[in-house]
Amino acid sequence: MHTDVIIVGAGPTGLMLACELRLAGVRPLVLERQPRRRDTPKAGGLGGQILELLRYRGLLERCESACPGPAPAPRFPFGGVHVDLSGLADPPMHALPLPQQQLEKVLDERAGELGVEIRRGHQVVGVVQDESSVTAEVLGPDGPYRVTARFLSGCDGARSRVRDAADVAFPGTTYPEINRLAQVTLPDTVAVLGNGDLDVAGFGTVQGGFTRTDRGLLGVGASPGSPVVSLYTTEEESGEYDDDGPMSLAEFQDSVRRVLGVDLPVAEAIRLSRFTFKARHAEHYRKGRILLAGDAAHLFPATGVAINAGMTDAVNLAWKLAADIHGRAPDGLLDTYHDERHFAGARTMLHTRAQVALRRGTDPAAEALREVFQELLADEQPLRRMGALVAGADIRYPMPGPYGHHPLAGTFAPDLTLHTDRGVTGLGELLRTARPLLLDLADREDLRRAAGDWRTRVDIRTAKTTDRRADALLIRPDAHIAWAAAVDESPDNAVPALREALGRWFGAAEDPA
């Protein structure tokens, strides 16, 4: 059997990649070793830049509808303290409490609508490549078989067989601690106070936020009026657990007892999960025709960032693979996947390793560091900076050449309100099809004419906006700005730079014939 792209792994990263490839006219085949979607609790939600990307694809509303509860206030754990963005009118970081099982269901349904073939219970046991193709050795329910493709993407998690087969180094650190998370309802003997503390009959007050003892860390996230409380423990342990193995409520309550020194009564467990923290980063995201994404490419020592990073990998990779498969990729386009996403992964690794330093210190110096950090976040500018860092919204991909000088070049395109000849719309509406877009915001016929030589590959739209920071924007399918014309920039400068950017990202100009 032959297909365009083999995707190994049907988690959020693999499913998002499959959907994006289908939007770009490519045939992916998804191979997943598990016979059905997992029901073991893993990630409890998603947040950061991927929420905007999902909105731009028309998927955010589906995700919101699948949520078991309302979106929480923008207040996020960061290394044993909290980054509280709830006082900002426009927080740079949001989260959606959509459990990973439900997210995978939404993406699975979307993949089915787009005609993606997903084979569950099909384990990839070997991968070989040559100059023109990749072959996967697969063990399916009916026995072994082979599939060949132009490319193969390993979205198969932390213990990636694809990464091992491609001989990509995965250096880093595993921290000697076990983290346990529970979402529970509480009995009548425990009351949630107005400040988020818990009043436990026979014991007293358990503070909301983080409580540190000499035996570990207890986190409590509770809101008056909400029946669900989030509890979290961290303990120093040298043993290893199977991440796919379930955790019992008794195991979690034993952990709370060890950390806090008393029992914390629980009425019902809604979600239970356990995980270790690793800081590992693949040296290469691309090895020939094999590309890594998600946990196969990076593991971060903090919660709340893995799905954001992995699904954003997928959106960056898909349109570049499609361009190569369709024969219109300029030289070096696929290499920019590693350049850009490895850069973004290093940025995420920076703040998650900083969280390790904040979280693991137990002496007075560490307490002083946490106190100073929280004092800094009392000011709006560092608070916004930290929120954008956690969200991945501060990423600016390096844009080579003269077209990369504008401050917007390389950044994520904001969802501008646009006034068009068809009425008022948002930029996100124009990006639903995952096609490149030249957005003319100043009625620049010279720029539209220059882009006409790419008219079958790039959508050209004219609109007005009240916050015009550029005359025009060239927006890639991953919603990053490849080029921007300064306000009132001369045609002598703007037109050649636009044509160079179009060629750099979307291939040579079309034959006028």
Side-chain angles (χ1 to χ4, degrees):
M1 176 184 175
H2 183 80
T3 191
D4 291 332
V5 179
I6 299 167
I7 299 172
V8 184
T13 298
L15 292 172
M16 190 70 184
L17 178 57
C19 291
E20 291 286 298
L21 286 170
R22 283 302 298 140
L23 286 174
V26 168
R27 294 178 303 123
L29 171 65
V30 182
L31 301 173
E32 166 58 51
R33 66 181 178 86
Q34 297 288 346
R36 60 189 63 86
R37 287 198 304 268
R38 294 189 218 28
D39 56 10
T40 302
K42 299 191 79 173
L46 67 164
Q49 197 69 69
I50 191 59
L51 294 179
E52 286 298 290
L53 279 166
L54 288 170
R55 186 154 62 88
Y56 285 4
R57 294 297 189 261
L59 291 173
L60 183 57
E61 187 173 342
R62 291 193 189 193
C63 291
E64 290 172 338
S65 297
C67 272
R75 186 170 184 263
F76 306 101
F78 190 94
V81 298
H82 273 98
V83 176
D84 189 351
L85 306 173
S86 59
L88 301 177
D90 54 340
M93 170 73 180
H94 293 275
L96 194 66
L98 180 64
Q100 183 170 332
Q101 308 99 296
Q102 294 301 111
L103 172 62
E104 290 181 8
K105 183 174 184 291
V106 170
L107 294 174
D108 196 308
E109 290 172 352
R110 178 57 175 158
E113 294 166 4
L114 294 170
V116 174
E117 182 180 358
I118 302 173
R119 297 182 182 179
R120 298 185 183 274
H122 292 248
Q123 182 176 3
V124 173
V125 296
V127 176
V128 294
Q129 63 173 319
D130 55 33
E131 292 184 358
S132 61
S133 65
V134 187
T135 299
E137 302 280 350
V138 187
L139 183 59
D142 298 325
Y145 65 96
R146 291 182 177 182
V147 184
T148 62
R150 294 279 300 279
F151 295 97
L152 182 146
S153 181
C155 305
D156 52 339
R159 300 177 180 178
S160 170
R161 285 178 176 265
V162 172
R163 185 184 61 237
D164 292 344
D167 195 25
V168 174
F170 199 43
T173 304
T174 299
Y175 295 97
E177 61 188 40
I178 301 296
N179 303 270
R180 295 177 174 89
L181 178 67
Q183 290 179 321
V184 302
T185 59
L186 301 175
D188 294 339
T189 55
V190 182
V192 179
L193 304 181
N195 61 356
D197 292 350
L198 304 182
D199 183 27
V200 182
F203 172 74
T205 300
V206 177
Q207 290 185 341
F210 292 101
T211 298
R212 190 177 300 272
T213 72
D214 58 2
R215 298 171 298 278
L217 183 72
L218 171 69
V220 175
S223 299
S226 173
V228 179
V229 173
S230 294
L231 301 173
Y232 169 84
T233 64
T234 297
E235 297 180 86
E236 293 279 339
E237 291 189 42
S238 58
E240 288 204 12
Y241 293 85
D242 180 0
D243 287 344
D244 290 331
M247 180 180 73
S248 68
L249 178 58
E251 178 187 330
F252 181 76
Q253 289 183 298
D254 287 345
S255 178
V256 173
R257 186 183 307 112
R258 288 192 297 268
V259 172
L260 195 60
V262 298
D263 287 318
L264 182 61
V266 168
E268 179 186 9
I270 298 169
R271 177 192 169 213
L272 295 165
S273 60
R274 154 197 341 105
F275 49 93
T276 56
F277 276 137
K278 301 178 177 68
R280 297 191 178 277
H281 203 188
E283 289 188 351
H284 305 283
Y285 284 18
R286 180 188 182 192
K287 194 71 172 289
R289 294 185 171 274
I290 298 174
L291 301 109
L292 304 176
D295 287 354
H298 40 65
L299 296 172
F300 302 116
T303 58
V305 296
I307 289 181
N308 181 30
M311 292 176 68
T312 308
D313 288 345
V315 178
N316 184 287
L317 174 59
W319 69 273
K320 297 172 182 178
L321 278 176
D324 194 294
I325 288 167
H326 292 317
R328 55 176 181 252
D331 290 343
L333 177 66
L334 202 48
D335 290 330
T336 68
Y337 169 65
H338 167 85
D339 297 340
E340 293 178 349
R341 293 310 298 163
H342 198 276
F343 168 76
R347 186 76 176 152
T348 305
M349 193 67 73
L350 176 70
H351 80 75
T352 52
R353 278 180 166 153
Q355 292 189 52
V356 172
L358 285 172
R359 184 179 71 242
R360 287 179 58 79
T362 58
D363 63 4
E367 292 289 351
L369 176 62
R370 287 187 283 269
E371 185 174 342
V372 168
F373 177 78
Q374 290 190 288
E375 282 192 15
L376 288 172
L377 297 187
D379 296 329
E380 181 173 341
Q381 192 278 335
L383 182 62
R384 286 189 176 279
R385 189 181 186 100
M386 188 56 59
L389 176 62
V390 175
D394 67 335
I395 296 296
R396 183 186 181 193
Y397 295 140
M399 291 288 143
Y403 55 83
H405 295 161
H406 194 284
L408 291 175
T411 65
F412 188 85
D415 193 12
L416 301 171
T417 299
L418 302 174
H419 300 266
T420 74
D421 57 2
R422 303 176 186 176
V424 179
T425 187
L427 175 61
E429 295 290 328
L430 304 183
L431 298 176
R432 291 280 177 98
T433 58
R435 281 175 53 83
L437 171 68
L438 176 67
L439 182 61
D440 176 7
L441 297 170
D443 198 13
R444 294 280 302 258
E445 184 180 357
D446 57 326
L447 300 179
R448 298 195 301 272
R449 188 185 312 114
D453 290 341
W454 285 264
R455 59 191 173 278
T456 65
R457 296 177 224 159
V458 178
D459 292 338
I460 303 172
R461 297 291 297 271
T462 301
K464 294 185 181 299
T465 186
T466 55
D467 183 21
R468 180 164 67 92
R469 297 168 56 194
D471 273 7
L473 302 173
L474 180 62
I475 304 173
R476 307 186 321 187
D478 62 351
H480 277 79
I481 298 170
W483 164 89
V487 174
D488 298 328
E489 184 173 353
S490 72
D492 289 346
N493 292 332
V495 169
L498 171 58
R499 292 184 65 86
E500 184 172 343
L502 286 161
R504 171 69 179 86
W505 294 107
F506 309 119
E510 300 163 15
D511 186 344

